[in-house]
Amino acid sequence: DWERDTVRWHTVEAPSGGLVSPSGRPVYLFSGGCYFDFYAVGAIERDPNGDLRPLTGADAGFVLRPRPEDGVYAPGHCSWLSGTDGAPYLMYHARFGSPQAPRQFALARLRWDGEGRPLAEPE
């Protein structure tokens, strides 16, 4: 019953590859969660043995997560591109201003944290 917000579901969508970490490992982005609870962009990498390893944990390592204090809600459905400066940028949609706002397209520059994980922060 959508009127009472009792439907609960989670999804993983928009896998995007082709990104390479500073250490040379392939990185894949995805978005997932539940859009009316917690929805964010995460990442996995391919290790030297060819195995996939999560870079995003239950509460850490998100590429982009909701930031209600900055008016950013439910960021997701990601991809990336190289800017004219050669830097990678995350393309995504999010709700800006309130959780009920319509989703809008946005770009954020991708950076790498000290552990080699991609990180994007809306400006």
Side-chain angles (χ1 to χ4, degrees), residues 1-111:
D1 182 351
W2 289 98
E3 297 280 328
R4 294 182 302 175
D5 196 29
T6 60
V7 176
R8 299 286 185 231
W9 58 269
H10 294 80
T11 190
V12 173
E13 65 178 353
S16 179
L19 194 59
V20 178
S21 74
S23 65
R25 293 184 181 156
V27 173
Y28 307 92
L29 307 177
F30 64 90
S31 60
C34 180
Y35 75 90
F36 53 83
D37 182 22
F38 184 89
Y39 204 78
V41 176
I44 59 175
E45 73 175 358
R46 189 167 300 279
D47 71 18
N49 296 324
D51 296 324
L52 293 175
R53 181 177 81 84
L55 297 175
T56 305
D59 60 357
F62 291 98
V63 177
L64 182 60
R65 65 181 302 150
R67 292 175 31 178
E69 66 277 9
D70 296 325
V72 179
Y73 301 88
H77 215 109
C78 61
S79 189
W80 71 276
L81 60 84
S82 290
T84 56
D85 59 358
Y89 287 82
L90 182 72
M91 297 183 292
Y92 66 99
H93 64 61
R95 299 176 191 276
F96 296 98
S98 82
Q100 292 76 34
R103 292 185 291 188
Q104 296 178 14
F105 172 79
L107 285 173
R109 186 172 176 157
L110 280 167
R111 295 176 174 82

